[in-house]
Amino acid sequence: MGGPEPGSATASTDRRPWAGRRIVLGVTGGIAAYKVVQLARDLTRMGATVDVVPTRSARRFVGDISFEGVTGRPVRWDILESGRALDHIRLAREADLVCVAPATADFLARGAHGRADDLLSALLLATRAPVLLAPAMNDAMWEHPATQANVARLVELGYYLVGPAEGPLAYGEGAGAGRMEQPDVLLQHIGRALVGETRYSGRRVVVTAGPTREPVDPVRYLSNRSSGRMGFALAAAAWRRSAEVDLVAGPTVLEPPHGPRVHQVETGAEMKSAVRRLLADAELLIMAAAPADFRPAEVATLKIKKEAAPDVLSLEPAPDILRDTIPDRRTGSVVVGFALEMEEGEGNALRKLESKELDLVVLNRTGPRSGFDTETNEVTLLDRDGEAEPLPLLSKDEVAERILDRIERLMPFPDE
Ligand code: CTP
């Protein structure tokens, strides 16, 4: 059923924070119900055990078999099913999280009033797990004061509301606020709710990712093969740990993750000024980007003709962002850099730790499965005490989690 191939580098990793968790996925009767098959599938692929609980009207939108096909588990919906009368209590007790997507206006009303006339609403009352609701409805219904009052009550009751998003509504209804958040966005919010409070909660974190592009002329640039994947994984993982994340991203083909505030930049100079500005409030900087080390000394205003090219391209150093922003760092902030090395790894990485005044350096080996533009990475973490922690080949998502675990030990508590 999808997921990593057995024996692949990612098969042994945790797929945190979803793997091994029990999730009740409530589905109510809105057209967005068809998208929730994808969410059920994604959660299952991330290693969660997913029990789908549709309402009676949801079952008219999507058949039970679709959910059973992607979760490998029976769909539950009948509160009075013989022999299963205590299902709602058991499911509610065992769940690590309950997510209702889509949550219709009617379901929000019933949730706000504590109704318990079907399995899903009863479950909501019986659970002590975090509850995440993803509303979806017509925009006028969403804006109606009755719905807004119900939403306010649900927030008061401690439920997390995700969305609705702006966008195209049902056929013929145009666009507006009322669309269910996309399954990949819900997956991230579920991850964040599963993680809960951490040492990162509410702390300002700046992560850089991707390459920079240094223009040569109006149609050409110098760059490198960085995909941005490692920095995106770090930003996403820090956001799931409830940090306030600013992600400064160079140009990449990958979509930046949902959650962090994204600052798109192109050149090293732009990345430097974004980092400098954000550092004023940051408690942690993770410099996972691969900014260019050189740039053309002059940018041609017209496209360089091929006959002229060999003579015009002279290079100068591009800004070293980590080094240049040393004076902008807050006292007590933690700074983490990467060192991409092909040879003399540890020596070079430790030199960068010193010269760029880092607290931790992530030594990144380049190879077919590690380094730039790969799904996996093999890194060693080196700190100021010279302690080296080599990690095995892991998915970049898991490498990000391990780096954050390690940084957590370096971060002072606010009252320390
Ligand atoms: N870095 C930076 N600005 C640059 C180049 C690199 O801030 N112009 C940061 C990277 O984000 C990384 C660290 O510095 O966190 C080390 O990057 P790396 O490319 O390994 O080293 P360089 O300093 O570029 O040195 P060299 O190319 O000689 O290995």
Side-chain angles (χ1 to χ4, degrees):
M1 199 185 295
E5 294 296 317
S8 79
T10 49
S12 60
T13 64
D14 292 335
R15 283 165 290 152
R16 287 192 252 171
W18 302 274
R21 310 305 289 277
R22 297 208 50 163
I23 293 170
V24 169
L25 185 55
V27 186
T28 69
I31 184 63
Y34 81 92
K35 291 189 182 172
V36 177
V37 178
Q38 165 106 37
L39 178 59
R41 169 179 164 272
D42 291 348
L43 286 166
T44 307
R45 287 178 76 161
M46 295 309 275
T49 301
V50 182
D51 285 299
V52 175
V53 180
T55 57
R56 196 151 48 105
S57 50
R59 297 179 71 228
R60 300 185 60 190
F61 284 91
V62 182
D64 296 349
I65 292 170
S66 297
F67 287 118
E68 293 185 354
V70 294
T71 63
R73 298 177 64 78
V75 159
R76 306 254 180 251
W77 54 272
D78 188 356
I79 197 167
L80 298 176
E81 197 182 348
S82 165
R84 295 195 181 278
L86 292 176
D87 259 13
H88 56 293
I89 301 294
R90 186 183 54 78
L91 277 176
R93 195 177 43 233
E94 291 174 359
D96 291 306
L97 179 134
V98 177
C99 171
V100 182
T104 58
D106 180 60
F107 186 77
L108 296 183
R110 294 197 295 129
H113 289 91
R115 297 287 296 268
D117 48 4
D118 65 3
L119 180 54
L120 185 56
S121 51
L123 251 158
L124 230 50
L125 284 186
T127 192
R128 294 292 169 264
V131 175
L132 198 143
L133 305 172
M137 66 200 70
N138 168 277
D139 53 344
M141 290 169 78
W142 171 250
E143 282 156 19
H144 195 285
T147 304
Q148 289 303 311
N150 290 332
V151 166
R153 176 73 185 133
L154 289 163
V155 170
E156 208 177 279
L157 290 171
Y159 298 147
Y160 300 95
L161 271 90
V162 182
E166 300 257 342
L169 302 170
Y171 178 76
E173 287 298 313
R179 186 183 187 208
M180 190 186 77
E181 279 290 8
Q182 297 298 334
D184 57 330
V185 172
L186 295 177
L187 183 75
Q188 292 303 319
H189 278 276
I190 289 171
R192 194 176 213 233
L194 281 171
V195 174
E197 288 287 305
T198 74
R199 219 173 163 174
Y200 287 89
S201 295
R203 317 224 13 210
R204 302 286 300 262
V205 174
V206 178
V207 181
T208 67
T212 57
R213 272 183 193 167
E214 300 298 343
V216 173
D217 67 15
V219 296
R220 303 185 180 95
Y221 56 80
L222 293 179
S223 192
N224 59 56
R225 291 182 188 279
S226 168
S227 64
R229 201 172 268 124
M230 191 65 243
F232 287 1
L234 280 159
W239 180 79
R240 286 194 300 268
R241 292 180 189 215
S242 286
E244 296 267 334
V245 185
D246 285 288
L247 170 60
V248 181
T252 74
V253 291
L254 299 178
E255 276 286 307
H258 174 82
R261 270 182 300 270
V262 181
H263 310 264
Q264 295 280 359
V265 296
E266 187 152 328
T267 63
E270 286 170 17
M271 186 173 276
K272 180 172 143 180
S273 76
V275 169
R276 170 167 280 162
R277 183 168 43 81
L278 293 165
L279 271 184
D281 298 320
E283 291 171 81
L284 168 65
L285 167 67
I286 309 178
M287 193 76 197
D293 288 321
F294 301 100
R295 65 185 177 192
E298 270 178 54
V299 182
T301 47
L302 294 176
K303 182 184 169 210
I304 299 169
K305 289 307 226 184
K306 65 172 167 264
E307 308 79 55
D311 305 326
V312 290
L313 208 59
S314 86
L315 300 176
E316 65 175 18
D320 184 322
I321 299 167
L322 261 182
R323 208 192 45 212
D324 293 355
T325 52
I326 290 174
D328 303 311
R329 299 177 191 167
R330 275 172 52 147
T331 36
S333 62
V334 173
V335 180
V336 179
F338 275 67
L340 185 74
E341 305 294 345
M342 300 185 86
E343 51 200 357
E344 279 194 59
E346 288 199 12
N348 280 332
L350 287 172
R351 270 190 289 281
K352 287 174 190 173
L353 183 89
E354 277 303 316
S355 66
K356 302 191 187 212
E357 297 188 17
L358 309 175
D359 298 288
L360 185 75
V361 66
V362 182
L363 166 60
N364 206 350
R365 292 180 209 288
T366 52
R369 305 188 73 188
S370 180
F372 277 4
D373 211 5
T374 55
E375 303 267 352
T376 49
N377 224 358
E378 193 174 346
V379 305
T380 299
L381 309 183
L382 297 152
D383 67 16
R384 295 199 76 83
D385 302 330
E387 195 195 316
E389 185 187 345
L391 301 181
L393 185 71
L394 297 166
S395 73
K396 285 189 172 171
D397 288 326
E398 181 57 17
V399 172
E401 297 286 357
R402 303 275 185 112
I403 292 171
L404 292 182
D405 288 347
R406 178 65 180 263
I407 295 171
E408 202 163 289
R409 287 191 259 136
L410 299 172
M411 294 221 328
F413 274 119
D415 50 4
E416 269 170 10

